[in-house]
Amino acid sequence: MCTGKCAKCIGAALFPLAFLCIVANLFLFFPDFKVEYVEDPSKITPEVLYLGGIIGGGIMILFPAVHIHATGSGGCCTNRCGMFLSILFAAFGALGSGYCLIISILGLVNGPMCEVKNQNWTKPFLGSSEDEQSYLFYPETWSKCTNPANVVLFNVVLFSLLIAFSTIELILCTLQMVNGLFGCLCGTCGKRRAGPV
């Protein structure tokens, strides 16, 4: 497979992943699909406010996706310079997906912001002693959160999806950095197709 076609496939795969990261992060602003919690940011899980999915896995991936796809589609970007630039854009995308991955892991490990029985808003699963197991392995403890309903399941599912999407983005950006290096050294396949019939 030539480096140009590989870049086109990687670029095309990054677009839906960026969109899915943005959507997953947006959903996290509406626990239990209710709008009322957005009005008071102190009731939103802090890791959601870091916008890992919107900025890191979304916007910071869209720019590389556009250039990487253009590099593989032909035209002015299908040359050694274009492949070199795709390495830089892919590195930028890797930073974004890495940011999304780290924030999502923190959001999953620290647990959601929720209302507990004494009507205080807190993160009941944060700061557990070293002897205690993570709340993720004990769903029976999720009932500590009384409001929003099902907020723990909501956060676990969406942060897990963000981890999966950003991991795939990170892998694709890393592959494009390697692909771009080969494209710089060996060139793309565009010149071979332009030969006489």
Side-chain angles (χ1 to χ4, degrees):
M1 185 178 207
C2 82
T3 56
K5 287 182 181 176
C6 183
K8 186 175 182 179
C9 292
I10 290 172
L14 288 173
F15 284 113
L17 288 167
F19 174 75
L20 290 170
C21 282
I22 291 170
V23 170
N25 200 150
L26 287 174
F27 274 137
L28 282 165
F29 278 98
F30 307 100
D32 203 32
F33 300 104
K34 293 183 180 174
V35 183
E36 61 193 77
Y37 305 107
V38 180
E39 297 170 1
D40 185 1
S42 67
K43 295 181 179 179
I44 300 289
T45 303
E47 289 80 8
V48 176
L49 299 173
Y50 298 154
L51 304 177
I54 294 173
I55 294 174
I59 295 169
M60 287 181 73
I61 289 294
L62 285 175
F63 290 113
V66 169
H67 181 80
I68 292 168
H69 191 265
T71 300
S73 296
C76 62
C77 295
T78 310
N79 54 37
R80 285 187 165 92
C81 180
M83 291 305 276
F84 175 73
L85 288 174
S86 78
I87 296 172
L88 300 179
F89 276 101
F92 181 73
L95 284 175
S97 57
Y99 174 71
C100 180
L101 181 62
I102 291 167
I103 295 299
S104 301
I105 290 171
L106 287 173
L108 192 62
V109 169
N110 294 338
M113 176 73 73
C114 64
E115 186 178 15
V116 292
K117 290 180 181 177
N118 60 4
Q119 296 185 340
N120 287 336
W121 283 83
T122 184
K123 295 183 84 169
F125 306 109
L126 179 64
S128 301
S129 67
E130 293 181 6
D131 297 334
E132 292 181 25
Q133 294 291 328
S134 171
Y135 76 98
L136 295 168
F137 303 110
Y138 295 96
E140 61 273 11
T141 63
W142 295 2
S143 59
K144 286 182 182 179
C145 288
T146 58
N147 191 30
N150 304 313
V151 68
V152 180
L153 179 63
F154 197 81
N155 273 29
V156 167
V157 169
L158 288 172
F159 275 125
S160 297
L161 286 173
L162 280 171
I163 289 170
F165 298 149
S166 59
T167 300
I168 296 169
E169 288 175 342
L170 186 59
I171 291 169
L172 289 174
C173 287
T174 304
L175 283 174
Q176 179 53 33
M177 285 191 278
V178 174
N179 181 53
L181 181 62
F182 281 113
C184 278
L185 298 175
C186 306
T188 61
C189 301
K191 292 179 181 177
R192 293 177 192 168
R193 287 195 296 267
V197 179

